[in-house]
Amino acid sequence: MRKPIIAGNWKMFKTRDEALQFVYSVVNKVPDINKVDSVICAQFTVLRCLVKRQGSNLRIGAQNMHYEDEGAFTGEVSASMLRSINVSYVIIGHSERRAMFNETDETINRKLHKAFENELIPILCVGESLTERESGQTEQIIGRQLDLDLDGLSKDQIKNLVIAYEPIWAIGTGKTASSATANETCGFIRQYIGQMYDDETAATIRIQYGGSVKLNNIDELMNMPHIDGALIGGASLNSDDFVELVKAAIK
Ligand code: 13P
């Protein structure tokens, strides 16, 4: 049985006060960590103060990191820096970073290696654009992302990885993939991992769906056999909604 995982991706939202207010209001309401992993991926400036207040059931993640340990990389933050403040997760390869900040599959691969080296749990985002879906290239695109992004990672590392399937056309658009489509593509990802590694690894890895997940569609998505959770943008910014979204993940 795979433990569900709900992660909020706050993107570039919330000041320190807003972030603290959110965490104070959810920390005693999210369900037991043995039943579901509840994660908030926040911007760098608030990570430390959120980690200090995460309590026993909430965990904190970053939204990006650099692949080097240290060096002359103005404006960047390394995995060891995140680890040193007890951050647990890190989103890697979000489509916004791929599109707007020139992330490539090569840098994503280097980041994944470095995240594991520092005992962070990476949430790797993969997904196709609307043109790619409409021209029937979804599996080819995602297969290629997996080949390049996971290059050189061991079976044991992959078992701890979280993959978020986020179709680019569903992000922030209010246009969710139907639960059947989301499940089909998450199933494809699982099968592909099975080919790259083995059946046990494929059965262990957790795959989230992301893209306009809200209170009105989470139940249907979470009922799908290949969907183990959600990576949620907009709807994760409201503390009451976040708690309800996490509760909905417990089947
Ligand atoms: P929305 O839930 O706002 O569509 O964002 C999805 C996303 O990009 C999560 O990483």
Side-chain angles (χ1 to χ4, degrees), residues 23 39-40 42 47 50-51 54 58-62 86-89:
V23 166
V39 184
I40 287 295
L47 289 176
L50 298 189
V51 166
Q54 70 185 4
L58 187 66
R59 290 295 173 265
I60 305 303
N86 295 322
V87 161
S88 309
Y89 291 82

Side-chain angles (χ1 to χ4, degrees), residues 79 83 87-89 113-122:
R83 192 61 233 163
V87 161
S88 309
Y89 291 82
H113 281 274
K114 196 51 83 173
F116 280 120
E117 211 177 281
N118 287 278
E119 294 175 2
L120 296 167
I121 301 174

Side-chain angles (χ1 to χ4, degrees), residues 111-131:
K111 289 179 183 198
L112 287 172
H113 281 274
K114 196 51 83 173
F116 280 120
E117 211 177 281
N118 287 278
E119 294 175 2
L120 296 167
I121 301 174
I123 300 176
L124 167 67
C125 301
V126 296
E128 80 288 0
S129 67
L130 187 58
T131 329

Side-chain angles (χ1 to χ4, degrees), residues 126-128 133 138 142 163-167 182 185-186 189 208-210:
V126 296
E128 80 288 0
R133 173 153 290 269
T138 300
I142 293 176
I163 296 181
Y165 166 55
E166 296 209 314
T185 311
C186 290
I189 293 171
Q208 298 174 307
Y209 166 76

Side-chain angles (χ1 to χ4, degrees), residues 54-96:
Q54 70 185 4
S56 45
N57 295 324
L58 187 66
R59 290 295 173 265
I60 305 303
Q63 299 170 10
N64 180 34
M65 51 165 263
H66 197 269
Y67 52 78
E68 293 288 357
D69 292 317
E70 57 183 15
F73 301 104
T74 302
E76 292 292 325
V77 170
S78 73
S80 57
M81 292 167 187
L82 296 176
R83 192 61 233 163
S84 73
I85 56 163
N86 295 322
V87 161
S88 309
Y89 291 82
V90 59
I91 298 174
I92 298 199
H94 191 280
S95 61
E96 287 155 13

Side-chain angles (χ1 to χ4, degrees), residues 9 11 94 166 170-172 211-212 231-234:
N9 174 11
K11 308 192 178 183
H94 191 280
E166 296 209 314
I171 296 177
S212 299
L231 183 58
I232 307 171

